[in-house]
Amino acid sequence: MSSSPDASLTQDDSYTATSHKGLTYPWGERTPDVGELISIADGVHWARIPMPGSLDHINCWVVDVADDAFATVDSGMRLPECRDAWTALFDGVLTGRRLSHVF
């Protein structure tokens, strides 16, 4: 395992941390695709929801609260791009789970 201070955040040694302007990105260039979650800790997952314009995307955090439920920190906006990304999540990795809280 890497001696990087952020090494404990990654569960896979194949990720290579990168730094840019004082920020360290423990997953390097890796980002979740539409409809995909990346597990960043037990019960905490990262989703990237596309956004129009220069913002390009919003990082959403999916937090397990029960076997059949999860909460999300941020959700994007009520736009087709965001809705399509959430539909892909619910049709895939979140099948059978319900959204219980939005923060």
Side-chain angles (χ1 to χ4, degrees), residues 11-36:
Q11 300 172 359
D12 185 335
D13 287 336
S14 67
Y15 294 114
T16 303
T18 58
S19 294
H20 178 70
K21 295 186 178 181
L23 296 175
T24 299
Y25 301 90
W27 287 272
E29 299 296 319
R30 177 74 171 99
T31 59
D33 292 325
V34 171
E36 178 186 21

Side-chain angles (χ1 to χ4, degrees), residues 2-101:
S2 169
S3 62
S4 163
D6 295 315
S8 65
L9 296 175
T10 61
Q11 300 172 359
D12 185 335
D13 287 336
S14 67
Y15 294 114
T16 303
T18 58
S19 294
H20 178 70
K21 295 186 178 181
L23 296 175
T24 299
Y25 301 90
W27 287 272
E29 299 296 319
R30 177 74 171 99
T31 59
D33 292 325
V34 171
E36 178 186 21
L37 296 176
I38 292 178
S39 180
I40 61 169
D42 287 340
V44 181
H45 316 278
W46 171 27
R48 196 169 186 188
I49 305 299
M51 298 279 290
S54 62
L55 184 58
D56 183 61
H57 70 276
I58 188 130
N59 292 310
C60 296
W61 311 104
V62 173
V63 181
D64 297 336
V65 296
D67 287 341
D68 69 337
F70 67 94
T72 186
V73 179
D74 215 335
S75 61
M77 299 173 68
R78 188 176 179 192
L79 299 169
E81 297 91 326
C82 297
R83 184 178 49 252
D84 292 348
W86 278 106
T87 297
L89 287 165
F90 278 109
D91 287 347
V93 296
L94 295 176
T95 295
R97 301 194 65 199
R98 63 184 172 81
L99 175 60
S100 62
H101 300 83

